[in-house]
Every structure is written in C-alpha cells, then in structure tokens.
C-alpha cells in the first residue's frame, strides 16, 4: 500500500510506527539515531562524529554531512538534489546518493544493478519507509515500478562512532531476476579537495605494505577476484584531509593531525572497494561483493544480503583512526567481544620441524617451550593422512599412524602435564589430488566440467558451497575436537580459487556464480557451529600468512597470522601496516631462528623478541639449537611480556616513529586503557655518522600522573630520571641508548 502514498504520507506513517520518531530530533537522549519528520533528515550522532542524510523531494536518499560532531541545534534542511551543471551533466549523476541503483541518468559507480527476465535493466530506488530500533536503522526503498525492494541497514556503535551499513535486496516480483552487482554501501565524503587515500597491499611474505597517495579524478579499485580476501589488497581504506596545522606540506595529515574517514568490509570472499573522484571532484567509496564474474539469481520471494561495510571518522589523524577501529574490533567484532581473553604465549612447530612431526620430536620441543614460559603448544602441518610434503594428505584428516602410532593423546597429555594447552593445524577447505578423499570424491572440488583443474601448492579447493562438502568438513573438525582435548585450531588456507565451477547444480546452472557467496556463508556457518559446540576452542585465521584477514573472518576467529615472513626487521613494517586496520590483539608474531630464512639476516634473540612482543607473542624457533643464554633471555622476556601484554594487546597503540620508507628507526607505544601503564618499543636498523637515536616523545599518558620507567631490555641515556610526570615523558621526551645494527630496547612506564 505504501507505494500509493506520497512522500510526506510515507514519512508520517513511518513516524507513527517508529517510537524513536516521537523524540525531538535534537534531544539530549542517548539515542544515536534520529529522524526529523519535518525535514526528512536522519542524523547519527556519537561523541566523535555526526553523519547525516535525508530524503530529497524526488524521494531519493542523499548524504548531507559526515564529519566532526555538529551542535544539536544546527540546521540540517531537507537535502536538495544537486543542480544540473548543464543538460549534459544532469543532477542524478552528481548528487551524492547513499545507495545508487544503475538506472535513469546515472553514470557513476552504482551499488546495485539488476537484470530482469524481459531484458529490462533499469532500476531506480525511492524511499518507502523506515524503522529505528535502538542503534539500528532500516530504510526500505523500492524501484519506481517493479516490486524490487532494497533495505538499507545502518547500525551504530555509539562508543566508537563506527557505523555498519549493508543492504538486503528482495525480489517481490513474480519472476526470477538476476543481481549483477551488489555493493553494501556508498560512503560519500564532504565536498572538498586535497584528499589522500591510504590502503594496504602486498603479497606472500610481504603483506601489509601501506600506500598513501593523493586522490585525483578517476577511480582507484581495491579488490580481490580470488574467492577470498587475498594478500594483494586488504578490504580497508582510509581517506585523510589536510588540516591547516598539518606538519608536512606534501603529506599534511599525520598520525595525530587531520581528519580521517576510514572503513573496512566484513567479507572473506571476492570483494571490491571503489574510490571514485567524480567530475565535480566529489569522492564516493563504494564497496561490497566484487561484480567480477558475479551473478546472483533471485526467485520470487528470495533475498540477497550484502556484507557489512563498516566506517568511522577521526578528527585527530590516522593514529586515532586506528585506535578507534582497534577498540571497535575488540568490543564489537571478535568472537569473545566485548572482552576477549588475552592471547597466550604460544609455541608453533612449523619452522622447527616443518612436516616431519612425530611424538618424540614434538615432545622434546614442548619440554623446552614449557621451560621458558610458553602457555600453548601448537603442532603445525604434517600430523595427518599420508602427509610427508605438500603433495599429499590434505583431505584425509586421520592421524598418521607412522608418526603417531598411539594417536594424538600421548602428545596432548604430555603438553598438558607441562602446564600448556594444545593447538593443532588444519587446512579444512583443501584437498590434494593424492588423497583418499579426492579418489573417493573427485566431484567435490571447484571445477568446470571437462576443463583442467589447476593446482596451487599441489592442492585443489573443496567446494564448500556443496551441502555434502560442508557436512564433511564440519564433521571431521567436530570429531577431532570431540575426541581430543584441543584448545586451539590454526585454520590455514593456502591457495586461491581457479576454475570456480559448481557442476553439481546441473539444471540450476544459472546459480553457478552464487558460489562466491554460498561458499563463504558456509565457511562462516561451520566456524560458528564449531564455536557453539566447542566454546573453549580458539581459532586462528591463516592463509599463507595474512591472506584472509578481514572483519568478516574476525567475527569467528580470535587471531590471525599476519605473514609467513618472520624476519624480525621485515616484520616491523609488516606489523606497522597491519595496525592501520587491525588490532594488535589479533596480531600473532613469532620469534624464529637466526639467520632468518627470509633474508638470511642475523639478529639477536632479544631483537627478535622485542619485535614479536608488539602483538600476541609466540616462539617458532628450533629450540633444540638454542644455547643456555638464549633460553635465559627468552625466559626473562616472556616473563616481562606477561606483565605488559594486556596493554599491548588491548591498550591504545601509538605509532611514534614509522619503520617505512627506509627509516633507520622505529618506535611504538601502547598505553593501558586506565592510563596506568605504558610500554615503549624502540628499534634501530643502523647507526650512522655518530648520530644519536632520535628523542622519543610518548603520547596518551596522563600528564598529571607520575610514571616510573623500568627498562625491560636495553638502557636509557644516563641523565634520564627514573620517575617523572606524564607531561615530562610526552613533552621533554627520552633518549634510548641505542647504537649499532639491528638493536632494540623496550621500557615500561607505570604510575607510582
Ligand atoms: C602456510 C602457513 C604456515 C604453515 C604452512 C604449513 O604456509 O602460513 O605458517 O602453517 O602453511 O604447510
């Protein structure tokens, strides 16, 4: 019936059914979402930002404002569609819509595009109604003539100001239609120039490289077409704008200065984020399912929901943007939200033994790991099927009898007796052609009938979208966790999709491309079901290093493996990039052997520890080769780490000196949420020409409190006071006494 009403009547009806509408729009209520029934403007207000959009006279939903908080009484009139520049540049093409359909006079990137069975492809969405339910707003829009509805959903985390947006497309026509493009949301930035884009890209062993560049006319496409998140681009962006007090003329926004709009997609399949600067220099960021090779048929009554695209705002630089996102991830995303457990100190066998695992070898490593204070022992690849190398075994999830004649129990018991819990490596979505599973079910893999099945790392992908495959994967994992006392799974994923066909569908072959969505949904549902059935089990997302890190998988996994590159110096820039988007709470880091396999670089045990202590600390070295002195240093630093890990993992991170761009120095600081403790890590690549280490200025302390400094490793210049105010450490600063090559020092500051 709503479609027969005029706009004002829609709004009046919505007002009548939505309790929140009864509130004066700009009341002092704690409610973050408000609607003004007179102006038709929605307003989201949090302590750090205001986001406003409204319904214009054409019934289109249009962004009005996104930035620092506005006063409650500030006028926000009904948005007016942009004025056409000329007959050649119509207003529909340049107006900043919240969710743009492909149809009408629209040439900018659409969020949604639909193909109807009669060949019609025009879609124009108009406001119908809305509902505010606490911190969630649902706006229903509908095509101007067809029964196609798109719900736009907004959720707000009032504490951090992070807004989640996605859409649900519903086919209420009588015929099947096909969605050819479905984004979650478009974020429109305030009109202006001088914006810079930051994004993360990389490859195996070189993830999390930060690029920062000026946004010019045209489109920058960040994406994965690989079926999963990928190492090449991460689905995160930040856009910064110059501030008059910015310190650097070429890149005026720094860690603590300037406005930042940032966001990330919660999706672990193929994805795309377009950053578009249009012909009037407005910036639109549109993200969601990657339209490449995408087609999602909807029968009458069916829906498609898009992943959530989260975004936030900071008026104090990209450092604060990261801290906002870290807090949001810890309190709103992680499976143990809002207070996830601290990450235990772990040992992982991969670099020590690779696939040559057996009881005596693992037991010997476990004994040594326990001696230095490790809390969790994880056996990596090699324990199952006929696994000797990466040519065989994936898919056959029974214990290899030659390596473990009495099963896993003796090793797990041994690990428990050493007062550690036990973790195990699995790679559930994969199969080697040389496996019993593949010989029995060659049809279970992604493939296109009659075409080659390309292998990556000698393995094929199981098609998790199939019901039987989903059941197999869930059941074997459930059995492992039921039969054994296991605290942790390292869930690995070591190749990307190729030939992503789903021959089983047969007559339903128009659903072939839904595999991109259904696969990931089943992945999430397996993880969710396992967690419900085995609530004590924690899970790591690993994908040849950091190939599957996103806000989607982080809803089901407690930590991630940022990179296979464990060189402690390379790791500094990898970790630095990682923290722009993701919290140190999930950032596992291992101390491995020296020289490191990645670069043949030699570093001290202490340097390696200090590099890894900036996240969830682990040891992945071959402890059989360590000297007594190595064990002693490790034991001391692990004990020291346990006194600061809450601050490192869950406190506020300040990137004081960046390790990028060939810098010889880098420093990070973490401050506990109560400001009672801070930890400083400093690293020196190489001293030159007798220059001293740069003075370090702490941030985020309570200026009035007295903090005592204690070295965890290394020394400060002799004249450094033992105790001084937060103001002193932040304004006067301190001088680490670091000289030489690949040296590091770390200091703890505690309120007296
Ligand atoms: C991937 C992971 C490594 C290790 C190996 C095992 O490369 O990233 O950490 O688990 O697989 O095969």
């Amino acid at each position: 019936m709503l479609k027969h009403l005029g706009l004002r009547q829609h709004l009046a009806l919505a007002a009548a059914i939505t309790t929140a509408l009864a509130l004066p729009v700009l009341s002092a209520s704690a409610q973050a979402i408000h609607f003004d029934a007179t102006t038709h403007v929605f307003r989201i207000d949090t302590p750090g930002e205001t986001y406003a959009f409204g319904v214009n006279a054409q019934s289109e939903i249009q962004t009005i404002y996104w930035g620092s908080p506005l006063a409650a009484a500030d006028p926000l009139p009904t948005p007016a569609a942009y004025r056409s520049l000329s007959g050649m540049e119509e207003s529909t093409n340049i107006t900043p819509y919240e969710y743009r359909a492909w149809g009408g006079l629209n040439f900018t990137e659409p969020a949604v595009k639909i193909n109807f069975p009669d060949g019609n492809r025009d879609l124009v969405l108009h406001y119908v109604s809305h509902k505010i339910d606490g911190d969630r707003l649902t706006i229903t829009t509908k095509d101007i003539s067809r029964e196609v509805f798109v719900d736009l959903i907004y959720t707000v985390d009032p504490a951090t100001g992070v807004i989640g947006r996605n859409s649900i497309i519903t086919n209420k026509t009588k015929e099947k239609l096909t969605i050819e493009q479905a984004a979650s949301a478009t974020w429109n930035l305030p009109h202006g120039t001088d914006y810079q884009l930051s994004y993360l890209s990389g490859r195996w062993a070189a993830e999390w490289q930060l690029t920062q560049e000026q946004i010019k006319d045209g489109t920058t496409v960040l994406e994965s077409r690989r079926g999963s998140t990928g190492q090449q681009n991460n689905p995160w962006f930040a856009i910064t704008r110059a501030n008059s007090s910015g310190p650097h003329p070429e890149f005026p926004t720094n860690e603590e200065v300037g406005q930042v709009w940032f966001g990330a997609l919660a999706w672990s399949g193929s994805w795309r984020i377009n950053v578009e600067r249009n012909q009037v220099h407005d910036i639109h960021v549109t993200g969601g399912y990657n339209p490449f090779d995408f087609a999602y048929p909807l029968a009458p009554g069916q829906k498609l929901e898009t992943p959530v695209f989260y975004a936030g705002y900071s008026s104090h630089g990209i450092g604060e943007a990261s801290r906002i996102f870290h807090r949001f991830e810890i309190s709103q995303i992680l499976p143990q939200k809002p207070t996830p457990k601290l990450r235990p100190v772990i040992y992982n066998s991969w670099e020590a033994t690779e696939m040559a695992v057996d009881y005596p070898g693992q037991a010997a490593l476990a004994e040594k790991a326990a001696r230095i204070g490790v809390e969790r022992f994880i056996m990596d690849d090699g324990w199952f099927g006929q696994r000797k190398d990466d040519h065989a075994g994936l898919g056959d999830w029974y214990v290899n009898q030659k390596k473990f004649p009495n099963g896993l129990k003796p090793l797990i018991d041994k690990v428990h007796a050493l007062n550690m819990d036990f973790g195990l490596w699995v790679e559930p979505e994969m199969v080697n052609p040389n496996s019993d599973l593949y010989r029995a079910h060659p049809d279970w893999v992604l493939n296109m009938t009659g075409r080659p099945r390309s292998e990556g790392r000698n393995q094929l992908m199981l098609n998790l979208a199939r019901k039987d495959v989903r059941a197999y994967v869930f059941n074997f994992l459930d059995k492992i966790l039921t039969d054994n006392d296991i605290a942790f799974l390292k869930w690995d994923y070591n190749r990307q999709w190729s030939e992503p066909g789903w021959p089983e569908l047969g007559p339903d072959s128009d659903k072939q491309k839904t595999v991109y969505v259904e696969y990931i949904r089943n992945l999430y549902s397996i993880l969710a079901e396992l967690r419900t059935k085995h609530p004590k089990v924690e899970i790591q997302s690993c994908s040849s290093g950091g190939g599957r890190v996103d806000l989607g998988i982080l809803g089901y996994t407690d930590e991630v493996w940022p990179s296979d590159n464990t060189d402690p110096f390379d790791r500094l820039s990898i970790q630095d990039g990682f923290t722009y988007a993701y919290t140190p709470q999930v950032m596992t880091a291992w101390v491995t052997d020296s020289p490191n396999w990645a670069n043949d670089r030699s570093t001290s045990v202490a340097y390696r520890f200090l590099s890894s202590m900036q996240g969830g600390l682990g040891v992945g070295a071959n402890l059989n080769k360590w000297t007594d002195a190595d064990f002693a240093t490790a034991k001391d630093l692990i004990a020291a780490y346990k006194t600061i890990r809450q601050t490192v993992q869950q406190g506020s991170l300040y990137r004081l000196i960046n390790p990028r761009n060939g810098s010889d120095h880098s420093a990070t600081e973490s401050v506990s949420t109560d400001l009672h403790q801070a930890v400083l890590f400093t690293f020196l690549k190489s001293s030159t020409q007798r220059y001293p280490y740069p003075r370090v200025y702490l941030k985020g302390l309570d200026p009035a409190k007295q903090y005592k400094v204690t070295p965890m490793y290394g020394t400060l210049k002799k004249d450094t006071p033992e105790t001084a105010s937060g103001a002193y450490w932040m304004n006067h600063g301190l001088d680490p006494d670091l000289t030489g090559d690949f040296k590091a020092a770390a200091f703890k500051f505690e309120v007296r």
Side-chain angles (χ1 to χ4, degrees):
M1 289 307 101
L2 281 174
K3 67 181 171 161
H4 300 303
L5 302 176
L7 170 67
R8 285 193 180 270
Q9 289 161 298
H10 293 161
L11 297 172
L13 180 63
I17 57 173
T18 308
T19 44
L21 301 191
L23 294 168
V25 179
L26 306 171
S27 81
S29 146
Q31 176 96 28
I33 305 173
H34 294 281
F35 176 69
D36 185 325
T38 312
T39 57
H40 321 137
V41 169
F42 296 92
R43 222 181 124 140
I44 299 175
D45 289 288
T46 68
E49 93 195 296
T50 296
Y51 184 86
F53 51 100
V55 186
N56 67 19
Q58 291 72 40
S59 300
E60 300 153 337
I61 301 167
Q62 189 181 322
T63 312
I64 298 173
Y65 176 82
W66 186 19
S68 294
L70 299 180
D74 281 341
L76 288 175
T78 306
Y82 277 27
R83 189 170 55 86
S84 299
L85 295 183
S86 76
M88 279 76 75
E89 204 66 83
E90 293 291 348
S91 79
T92 41
N93 195 28
I94 50 176
T95 299
Y97 297 125
E98 286 279 294
Y99 196 83
R100 196 179 273 272
W102 189 68
L105 265 172
N106 175 33
F107 308 105
T108 24
E109 185 63 35
V112 59
K113 179 173 184 300
I114 289 181
N115 191 15
F116 295 94
D118 58 2
N120 202 318
R121 302 184 309 286
D122 185 56
L123 186 72
V124 176
L125 296 174
H126 280 181
Y127 170 92
V128 174
S129 64
H130 74 272
K131 186 168 182 287
I132 298 173
D133 188 4
D135 293 326
R136 182 186 171 93
L137 161 68
T138 305
I139 300 179
T140 298
T141 65
K142 184 193 161 296
D143 179 56
I144 48 173
S145 70
R146 297 188 180 222
E147 298 294 295
V148 174
F149 289 80
V150 179
D151 281 353
L152 309 182
I153 297 163
Y154 298 74
T155 55
V156 190
D157 174 37
T160 58
V162 173
I163 299 170
R165 290 182 54 193
N166 74 332
S167 61
I168 301 176
I169 303 157
T170 308
N171 177 10
K172 292 193 184 168
T173 72
K174 296 199 164 50
E175 287 181 292
K176 192 187 264 191
L177 54 78
T178 302
I179 300 171
E180 293 183 333
Q181 195 159 336
S184 310
T186 295
W187 299 98
N188 297 312
L189 271 74
H191 187 70
T193 52
D194 206 11
Y195 283 101
Q196 300 88 31
L197 173 68
S198 301
Y199 60 92
L200 294 160
S201 56
R203 59 165 161 81
W204 175 78
E207 295 89 339
W208 310 107
Q209 306 303 309
L210 185 75
T211 298
Q212 298 186 300
E213 63 194 18
Q214 202 70 21
I215 302 181
K216 304 209 170 114
D217 286 355
T219 302
T220 301
V221 179
L222 307 175
E223 66 170 350
S224 162
R225 299 179 173 194
R226 298 166 177 249
S228 81
T229 324
Q231 280 149 317
Q232 290 66 27
N233 288 164
N234 188 267
W236 168 88
F237 75 93
I239 295 176
T240 51
R241 184 157 72 175
N243 177 307
S244 51
S245 57
H248 194 291
E250 276 165 23
F251 193 75
T253 303
N254 75 1
E255 284 286 328
E256 307 302 326
V257 177
Q259 292 176 281
V260 187
W261 296 260
F262 57 94
L265 272 172
W267 186 240
S268 312
S270 290
W271 59 272
R272 192 177 79 174
I273 295 175
N274 274 11
V275 180
E276 182 181 21
R277 191 169 95 149
N278 71 6
Q279 57 276 39
V280 291
H281 298 171
D282 277 348
I283 294 173
H284 312 301
V285 183
T286 302
Y289 293 130
N290 195 327
F292 174 80
D293 199 33
F294 185 87
Y296 200 99
L298 284 188
Q302 288 184 335
K303 301 168 193 273
L304 174 67
E305 181 158 7
T306 57
V308 180
F309 195 0
Y310 291 100
Y313 169 78
S314 154
S315 54
H316 293 102
I318 204 161
E320 184 184 74
S322 300
R323 289 187 290 278
I324 288 172
F325 232 18
H326 296 171
R327 205 153 64 239
F328 172 73
E329 288 155 1
I330 288 175
S331 62
Q332 302 295 321
I333 296 285
L334 292 180
Q336 296 176 0
K337 69 195 172 199
T339 47
K341 287 191 201 131
L342 294 177
R343 302 288 79 221
V345 178
I346 66 104
Y347 179 83
N348 179 290
S349 65
W350 175 244
E351 290 200 20
T353 53
E354 296 203 337
M355 293 184 204
V357 293
D358 57 13
Y359 176 83
Q362 296 297 299
L365 287 170
E367 277 175 13
K368 295 184 173 110
R371 246 198 272 156
I372 51 175
V374 166
E375 297 158 314
R376 173 172 290 167
F377 183 87
I378 300 157
M379 178 161 66
D380 210 281
D381 197 351
W383 59 270
F384 54 90
Q386 297 309 307
R387 190 80 160 160
K388 284 199 244 5
D389 54 35
D390 60 18
H391 287 82
L394 289 174
D396 297 342
W397 298 104
Y398 58 83
V399 179
N400 182 299
Q401 287 302 301
K402 279 199 202 111
K403 296 178 181 181
F404 295 94
N406 301 309
L408 296 180
K409 192 166 187 308
L411 179 61
I412 296 176
D413 287 348
K414 168 91 183 170
V415 166
H416 288 163
L418 291 165
N419 217 8
M420 300 182 288
D421 64 25
F422 183 78
L424 192 64
W425 182 95
V426 287
E427 193 175 359
E429 299 150 84
M430 303 290 168
V431 63
N432 286 116
N434 184 6
S435 66
D436 297 341
L437 183 72
Y438 188 70
R439 284 182 281 273
H441 298 287
D443 51 332
W444 276 13
V445 298
L446 288 175
N447 74 94
M448 299 206 189
T449 308
R451 304 293 301 170
R453 300 176 175 200
S454 304
E455 293 171 23
R457 206 195 190 197
N458 310 304
Q459 61 201 53
L460 297 168
M461 303 262 335
L462 291 174
N463 180 357
L464 216 57
R466 288 174 62 121
K467 282 201 179 70
D468 44 10
V469 173
R470 190 219 176 271
Y472 172 79
V473 169
F474 175 79
N475 289 336
F476 90 71
L477 289 165
D478 180 39
K479 185 162 167 25
I480 292 175
L481 296 177
T482 305
D483 294 351
N484 301 284
D485 191 349
I486 287 176
F488 174 86
L489 289 178
K490 172 173 171 178
W491 183 302
D492 213 336
Y493 175 95
N494 284 317
R495 65 155 294 176
Q496 307 293 327
W497 297 23
S498 62
E499 300 110 8
W502 186 351
E504 182 198 17
L505 289 176
D508 265 342
S509 60
D510 67 340
K511 287 201 185 138
Q512 282 289 326
K513 295 173 180 174
T514 65
V515 71
Y516 288 106
V517 176
E518 305 309 330
Y519 181 111
I520 304 300
R521 285 186 178 164
N522 278 353
L523 168 68
Y524 290 163
S525 83
I526 291 171
L527 285 161
E529 202 176 334
L530 284 174
R531 293 197 77 106
T532 306
K533 200 155 170 210
H534 306 279
K536 290 202 185 115
V537 175
E538 296 187 335
I539 302 174
Q540 179 191 78
S541 171
C542 174
S543 172
S544 309
R548 191 153 67 186
V549 183
D550 58 79
L551 295 184
I553 203 80
L554 281 173
Y556 305 95
T557 55
D558 305 274
E559 60 177 55
V560 299
W561 180 229
S563 180
D564 275 351
N565 187 340
T566 56
D567 176 279
F569 173 70
D570 280 7
R571 199 71 183 205
L572 296 178
S573 54
I574 286 172
Q575 293 176 174
D576 175 75
F578 184 94
T579 65
Y580 279 81
Y582 302 105
T583 164
Q585 164 82 22
V586 303
M587 185 177 80
T588 318
W590 304 343
V591 172
T592 58
D593 285 317
S594 176
N596 187 280
W597 62 268
N599 297 317
D600 208 19
R601 177 181 291 120
S602 295
T603 53
S604 68
V605 175
Y607 183 90
R608 283 175 264 155
F609 263 96
L610 265 46
S611 172
S612 298
M613 282 162 68
Q614 296 170 93
L617 175 62
V619 178
N622 186 347
L623 299 178
N624 297 320
K625 293 186 190 158
W626 275 21
T627 63
D628 287 348
D630 293 341
F631 278 109
T633 308
K635 195 172 172 188
D636 283 355
L637 287 174
I638 289 175
Y641 176 74
K642 289 176 182 170
T643 70
I644 51 132
R645 72 170 134 187
Q646 176 143 21
T647 299
V648 166
Q649 295 177 16
Q650 299 182 352
S652 301
L653 175 73
Y654 294 85
R655 293 178 291 257
L656 300 182
I657 307 176
N658 233 280
R660 282 177 287 109
N661 306 325
S663 170
D664 271 326
H665 314 103
S666 71
T668 67
E669 178 202 359
S670 301
V671 182
S672 63
T673 44
D674 64 4
L675 309 190
H676 279 212
Q677 188 187 64
V679 192
L680 170 67
F681 291 98
T682 55
F683 299 89
L684 170 67
K685 183 180 175 197
S686 198
S687 299
T688 48
Q689 296 157 354
R690 297 188 63 76
Y691 282 115
Y693 196 85
R695 180 161 290 182
V696 177
Y697 301 90
L698 297 192
K699 292 192 193 300
L701 302 179
D702 181 337
K705 289 221 159 66
Q706 293 289 313
Y707 291 84
K708 178 176 179 208
V709 59
T710 324
M712 292 197 298
Y713 188 83
T715 50
L716 291 163
K717 288 269 166 59
K718 283 205 182 63
D719 55 356
T720 311
E722 203 179 70
T723 300
S725 67
Y728 178 93
W729 299 120
M730 293 192 290
N731 300 327
H732 175 280
L734 65 151
D735 298 305
D737 194 8
L738 278 176
T739 53
D741 295 337
F742 300 107
K743 293 290 170 58
F747 308 93
K748 180 158 76 173
F749 296 79
E750 279 169 316
V751 168
R752 288 180 57 117

